Each structure stands twice: as C-alpha cells, then as structure tokens.
Amino acid sequence: MNTTIWMALALVLVLEGLGPMFLPRVWRRMILSMAQLPDRLLHRFGGGLVVAGVVIYYMIAAHSS
C-alpha cells in the first residue's frame, strides 16, 4: 500500500483516539446517543462521510499534481 494511505490511516487513528482519551464521559454519551439513531440515518451519515473523504482526497490529489 502507498505510504500516503498508511499516513492517512495513522492520522485517523490519532484523531479518533483523542475523544476517549481526553473526554471519556462525553465520548461515551455521544456513542450511546448514536446507538439509538435509526439505521437509515446512520447509513446517510456514513455515506456523507465517505463522499466528503473522497472529495477531500480528490482535491488534494489534484492540487499536488
């Protein structure tokens, strides 16, 4: 795999770990409230994140070449 992909994955893991590390109670409440959301809303939210990630990736890739 490309080094850039591994660096991106490492950054995601660091950012995902900040919530439980610094604000565990807030993070737990957020996770519990998300678990109560309907599946359809979670699908849309996840799809939106994927689209946003692809757009950001494309913009960075197009800008760097």
Side-chain angles (χ1 to χ4, degrees):
M1 229 194 263
N2 191 343
T3 305
T4 305
I5 300 297
W6 285 111
M7 293 293 286
L9 178 60
L11 182 59
V12 167
L13 292 174
V14 168
L15 293 174
E16 287 290 328
L18 289 175
M21 187 169 103
F22 290 119
L23 301 165
R25 286 187 204 111
V26 174
W27 183 82
R28 184 179 291 115
R29 272 186 276 154
M30 181 186 68
I31 296 300
L32 289 172
S33 67
M34 285 183 66
Q36 303 300 319
L37 294 174
D39 287 349
R40 189 132 178 91
L41 184 59
L42 290 174
H43 282 284
R44 287 183 181 176
F45 183 72
L49 290 174
V50 169
V51 169
V54 169
V55 168
I56 291 169
Y57 180 84
Y58 176 76
M59 290 172 60
I60 292 171
H63 185 269
S64 65
S65 42

